[in-house]
Amino acid sequence: MKAVANGVWPLARGDGSIDSKSPEYQKYLAENDAVVLFLEALKQHQKSEDIVASCCRAMEAICVNDTTCKEAESAGGLKLLTNLIRDQKDCEKVVAKCASCLSCFARCDLNKPKIVRTHIYPPKNRPLKLSHIKTGTTRSVRVSHLAHASQEL
């Protein structure tokens, strides 16, 4: 599963060249329920950091428009990701990848208020640290920032 999920990003995102077939592959994956398959894999392999990270990255590559983001939400994607963030809050890699995937699901305007209403708060008002895997920088999110974001919507 990990190898399949890892292969989706370069296939669906490509190298950025003008003659790239990546948009066609991304559309094919989206139309053939790849997001639903990766959500099912997440449910089955919740305890495996690497599989969770790989599936989230694959879904980020596929969920690029309103339609696919709505389908991901309809298939239970928002609930599953928020539950993973809550249940595995001590595993920074899982939290970071699930949060990144949630941000991709927010590409659909209908999902934005749903994501804010999930109330993913750190315990006892402490900062929730998310390690950004590529740069190694650390971000802190406080409850007050999440509350402010919900007021803007």
Side-chain angles (χ1 to χ4, degrees), residues 1-9 34-46 48-63 80-81 84 93 97-98 100-101 105:
M1 176 47 73
K2 181 181 167 186
V4 170
N6 285 338
V8 169
W9 185 271
V35 171
V36 174
L37 294 173
F38 287 120
L39 287 171
E40 285 300 317
L42 277 179
K43 288 177 191 172
Q44 293 176 9
H45 302 284
Q46 293 181 34
S48 172
E49 281 182 38
D50 292 336
I51 293 177
V52 169
S54 296
C55 288
C56 285
R57 183 163 166 87
M59 287 189 293
E60 289 176 37
I62 299 168
C63 293
L80 178 61
L81 290 172
L84 280 169
K93 183 177 182 178
K97 279 311 211 179
C98 288
S100 179
C101 196
F105 288 0

Side-chain angles (χ1 to χ4, degrees), residues 38-149:
F38 287 120
L39 287 171
E40 285 300 317
L42 277 179
K43 288 177 191 172
Q44 293 176 9
H45 302 284
Q46 293 181 34
K47 301 297 181 192
S48 172
E49 281 182 38
D50 292 336
I51 293 177
V52 169
S54 296
C55 288
C56 285
R57 183 163 166 87
M59 287 189 293
E60 289 176 37
I62 299 168
C63 293
V64 296
N65 58 34
D66 276 358
T67 305
T68 54
C69 292
K70 279 188 247 181
E71 289 172 3
E73 191 274 330
S74 297
L78 296 180
K79 184 177 180 180
L80 178 61
L81 290 172
T82 54
N83 287 341
L84 280 169
I85 290 170
R86 283 188 191 110
D87 296 344
Q88 297 191 30
K89 60 183 169 273
D90 295 328
C91 181
E92 288 188 5
K93 183 177 182 178
V94 169
V95 170
K97 279 311 211 179
C98 288
S100 179
C101 196
L102 274 177
S103 72
C104 289
F105 288 0
R107 290 177 179 148
C108 172
D109 288 339
L110 296 174
N111 287 347
K112 288 175 184 168
K114 293 175 186 177
I115 292 169
V116 171
R117 282 193 303 263
T118 59
H119 301 295
I120 307 171
Y121 297 140
K124 298 181 183 177
N125 201 19
R126 290 186 308 225
L128 176 64
K129 286 185 169 185
L130 302 177
S131 296
H132 191 274
I133 294 176
K134 288 183 183 173
T135 62
T137 61
T138 301
R139 300 177 186 158
S140 294
V141 180
R142 292 195 185 276
V143 175
S144 60
H145 293 130
L146 293 172
H148 178 67

